[in-house]
Amino acid sequence: MKIAVYAFDGASMFHLSVPHLVFDEVARSGAAPWQTSLFSEDAGSVTTSEGYALGGIEGLDSARDADLIVVPSWIQDGVAPSPALAELLQERHTRAVPIVGLCLGANALADTGLLAGRSAVTHWKSTEELARRHPEISVEPSALYLDHGDVMTSAGTASGIDACLHIVRTRLGSAVANRVARHLVVAPHREGGQAQYIERPVPADSSGGAIAVACAFALEHLAEELSVARLAEAAHLSQRAFRDETGSTPAAWVRSRRLDEARTLLETSELSVDQIAAACGFGSPVTLRQNFAAAFGSTPSSYRRRFGETRPASSPTKKSSPHRRTGRAERLGPT
């Protein structure tokens, strides 16, 4: 299989190296004669974001016989792909060549029209912007990667490794993907319970505004009943004002924060699921499990086995904590 990876001035060395790292290991291991190369608008060289010059870059025509095309990231200012690149991606797509957008590379696929009517994921910092610019796309900020067979997108930075391993798995099977992952010393298959590393939401307005007061009050009282009336009483605001400011209803916002706190406790404490349910205001462990599975595709116990740390039992904490969740993925191209 020939894999063509798009390179451009300003791309990071990490993003450019991920497809090479994973797919070249397939060839090195003798599993399949895969060949990975970099191409750009013009043959020659590109300058990475770190200031290094990379030579040996091929031109657009070199990707016209590729079996897979990867856009590993994208230009930070979000400019649309050049007409030449857009034409290449569209033409290859019509010929059943899978197109992959890793991290911000989803923006290039979106601007080219390949994601219209589809679900997609990108780096968590860019999800709102992608959704605003492309309302025809269902942007899923919490997925790790999403595979539609002919197009695929992944979340931020390191999740590109997961996406590339998924491609190996769908083409060559789990045994080969596991062997490649073992050589790279990474998890061979991250499934339910993992999400992008997303900063835990906190009130944006630290000046004491009504929304900030309501959010701060909620975060300090997650174990208690937090009705719209109580939030309104705490900050003298209406449900409409809350929704306009946060982008969600008070109930949805509070539920999301409770789930954030539950993940934090699963990762950093030895509290039981029953105790965590009570500490986070879910009322019962059944309610916690139902909401957790609906949001993250995993049970609390499975999540803890993957991400939990061995620590003494502790009380709820408001300290920030990173989290991950996988997206739905079935296949990418023929096996």
Side-chain angles (χ1 to χ4, degrees):
M1 183 168 72
K2 179 179 179 180
I3 303 152
V5 180
Y6 181 71
F8 56 90
D9 286 328
S12 78
M13 294 183 68
F14 181 89
H15 288 106
L16 292 174
S17 69
V18 163
H20 274 277
L21 181 70
V22 176
F23 300 143
D24 287 0
E25 187 59 38
V26 170
R28 285 191 294 268
S29 69
W34 286 13
Q35 176 187 358
T36 310
S37 62
L38 296 177
F39 76 98
S40 192
E41 306 288 325
D42 301 300
S45 66
V46 297
T47 302
T48 70
S49 61
E50 297 83 2
Y52 296 105
L54 293 182
I57 309 298
E58 301 176 348
L60 287 178
D61 286 342
S62 69
R64 296 194 182 279
D65 62 346
D67 302 297
L68 178 73
I69 295 179
V70 180
V71 182
S73 185
W74 196 239
I75 304 166
Q76 289 294 330
D77 59 9
V79 299
S82 69
L85 177 60
E87 183 275 330
L88 170 71
L89 296 180
Q90 292 166 346
E91 189 272 336
R92 292 287 82 197
H93 181 255
T94 62
R95 295 182 179 275
V97 173
I99 311 296
V100 179
L102 303 179
C103 196
L104 296 181
N107 290 281
L109 274 61
D111 290 342
T112 307
L114 301 183
L115 297 177
R118 307 289 190 93
S119 57
V121 61
T122 187
H123 191 286
W124 63 269
K125 281 190 174 182
S126 299
T127 53
E128 291 185 3
E129 176 65 14
L130 180 60
R132 184 190 64 78
R133 292 177 55 239
H134 291 281
E136 76 280 8
I137 298 173
S138 175
V139 181
E140 301 194 14
S142 56
L144 194 62
Y145 55 83
L146 293 170
D147 179 10
H148 295 285
D150 58 336
V151 292
M152 180 179 183
T153 54
S154 83
T157 315
S159 61
I161 297 175
D162 298 280
C164 290
L165 283 171
H166 169 72
I167 294 171
V168 175
R169 188 177 307 107
T170 57
R171 296 291 185 113
L172 301 175
S174 295
V176 174
N178 291 346
R179 187 161 68 248
V180 170
R182 192 159 52 247
H183 277 283
L184 301 180
V185 198
V186 295
H189 189 190
R190 296 194 292 173
E191 44 193 6
Q194 295 157 281
Q196 298 192 56
Y197 282 91
I198 301 174
E199 291 178 347
R200 185 173 178 195
V202 295
D205 180 6
S206 60
S207 62
I211 296 297
V213 171
C215 292
F217 178 85
L219 289 174
E220 294 296 329
H221 298 82
L222 287 177
E224 305 170 16
E225 179 183 355
L226 293 172
S227 64
V228 175
R230 192 173 186 197
L231 291 175
E233 180 182 0
H236 306 291
L237 50 77
S238 68
Q239 181 176 355
R240 183 183 186 87
F242 191 101
R243 184 172 57 250
D244 290 345
E245 181 70 18
T246 65
S248 64
T249 65
W253 189 89
V254 169
R255 182 171 59 252
S256 181
R257 300 296 75 74
R258 282 174 167 156
L259 287 169
D260 282 342
E261 186 70 4
R263 289 196 293 184
T264 298
L265 293 176
L266 288 167
E267 291 177 7
T268 62
S269 81
E270 293 184 353
L271 295 175
S272 69
V273 172
D274 288 23
Q275 289 173 314
I276 291 174
C280 297
F282 281 105
S284 75
V286 173
T287 303
L288 169 60
R289 291 188 181 98
Q290 289 174 339
N291 282 274
F292 204 91
F296 309 132
S298 174
T299 65
S301 297
S302 295
Y303 185 91
R304 168 170 273 168
R305 281 194 296 271
R306 288 180 177 272
F307 301 105
E309 301 175 2
T310 303
R311 299 188 176 199
S314 59
S315 59
T317 174
K318 297 298 181 289
K319 185 178 179 179
S320 299
S321 176
H323 314 292
R324 287 210 168 199
R325 178 193 322 163
T326 54
R328 294 174 298 282
E330 297 299 329
R331 68 197 187 288
L332 185 69
T335 57

